[in-house]
Amino acid sequence: MAKEFVPESLKFSHEVKEKTVKFTENALSNAADELFLGLYSTYHSVKLAEKGLELARKNLQRQQELFDKGIITELELEEAVLDLKEAENSVKKAKRDFENMHRTFNRLAGLPLDFRYDLIGTPRTDAEDIRITEDEAVKSALENRMEIWSTKRQIELVELRMEIYRHKNVYKFDYYTIKDYAEAQDELENLKLTLVQQEYDIEKEIRQAYKDLKKSYNNLKLAELNLERQKNQLETLKKQYEKGLIPASAVEQTELAISNLEFAVNMSLISYLNKQDRFYRAISVGPGVTE
């Protein structure tokens, strides 16, 4: 036991520490990804709210001019005033959300809580489809996930202990060895059952995550196509405005709608990239997709 089992146990403890470091790095990366998504979302929500406020001010100015000319009623003017107040409140709320998220992000990044980025943009990368097949992803996860590796190594250690006890049939006549050997048998059976359950759960998790990632990628591409259609529609509206067929407000509202769509597409892009990173970490040492 001192010559063979103890060194192997110490080796296992060292390996656990190494795996735990990588596992923790992956977990922190997952957390940072999600916080960046929140930071990006709140930052650009402020920008969109400010655009909405600018349009509300322009609309109130137009409505005031129409009211002064007796073209609209006082009620219609009051609606424009209420729209402006609502837009102002939206800006205040968006800025408050951004400040709260920024402080949370700074805590993880180790930055002063009052530190502020001047610009928070989208990653300089395009979304790529999954580079491996579903079966390859499952195979990688079953080979590399920390919980499966740990259970397999524990099984190896128990089997080594039992092999040592079987040397010269010591486990048959020494009282303490007989007891320990029986406990090792029970432990081995429990570990094998645990391994079967872990493999089942992880395979199920990875296959579902693979399908979700594929769906997220397809949704992103559809959103990008929809954005292009809306931009083409905006060009048509601009031509109609130049001919005096529609008011300026129609063009401005469409421009705001496109800004919202661009924001939604960028959010989908970052969300997909985050899911992709989390997926590839889940088929390595971990943690799992839902952890």
Side-chain angles (χ1 to χ4, degrees), residues 260-277:
N260 278 285
L261 279 174
E262 288 175 333
F263 171 64
V265 168
N266 289 336
M267 284 290 292
S268 295
L269 170 62
I270 298 172
S271 179
Y272 172 75
L273 294 174
N274 285 356
K275 286 181 180 179
Q276 191 179 58
D277 287 345

Side-chain angles (χ1 to χ4, degrees), residues 91-143:
V91 171
K92 290 178 182 178
K93 181 181 182 304
K95 287 183 176 180
R96 186 167 59 247
D97 291 342
F98 174 62
E99 288 297 312
N100 291 337
M101 180 55 69
H102 217 317
R103 283 193 291 270
T104 302
F105 185 87
N106 288 351
R107 287 191 188 97
L108 181 68
L111 296 168
L113 295 184
D114 59 352
F115 176 82
R116 294 295 177 267
Y117 292 101
D118 295 328
L119 174 67
I120 301 172
T122 50
R124 291 178 175 270
T125 182
D126 294 324
E128 295 181 354
D129 204 354
I130 312 174
R131 299 188 297 269
I132 59 176
T133 66
E134 184 177 331
D135 288 339
E136 288 173 338
V138 170
K139 183 175 182 292
S140 178
L142 294 180
E143 289 175 352

Side-chain angles (χ1 to χ4, degrees), residues 160-200:
L160 175 60
R161 193 164 90 235
M162 293 173 68
E163 181 183 345
I164 293 171
Y165 286 153
R166 285 195 295 269
H167 181 64
K168 294 185 178 181
N169 292 325
V170 174
Y171 75 102
K172 291 184 177 180
F173 57 81
D174 180 72
Y175 172 77
Y176 293 105
T177 305
I178 292 172
K179 181 181 178 183
D180 198 25
Y181 188 85
E183 290 177 351
Q185 284 181 310
D186 291 339
E187 184 180 356
L188 182 60
E189 289 304 312
N190 289 333
L191 284 170
K192 287 181 177 179
L193 289 173
T194 298
L195 180 61
V196 170
Q197 186 64 50
Q198 286 174 335
E199 289 176 334
Y200 171 81

Side-chain angles (χ1 to χ4, degrees), residues 138 141-142 145 147-148 193-209 282 288-291:
V138 170
L142 294 180
R145 281 286 282 272
E147 53 265 58
I148 288 182
L193 289 173
T194 298
L195 180 61
V196 170
Q197 186 64 50
Q198 286 174 335
E199 289 176 334
Y200 171 81
D201 291 341
I202 288 175
E203 178 174 355
K204 182 180 178 182
E205 169 200 319
I206 296 304
R207 290 194 184 280
Q208 183 59 53
V289 176
T290 58
E291 293 178 53

Side-chain angles (χ1 to χ4, degrees), residues 251-264:
V251 175
E252 292 170 350
Q253 289 298 326
T254 303
E255 288 175 336
L256 180 60
I258 287 176
S259 295
N260 278 285
L261 279 174
E262 288 175 333
F263 171 64

Side-chain angles (χ1 to χ4, degrees), residues 50 55 58 167 209:
E50 288 174 343
L55 289 185
K58 287 182 179 179
H167 181 64

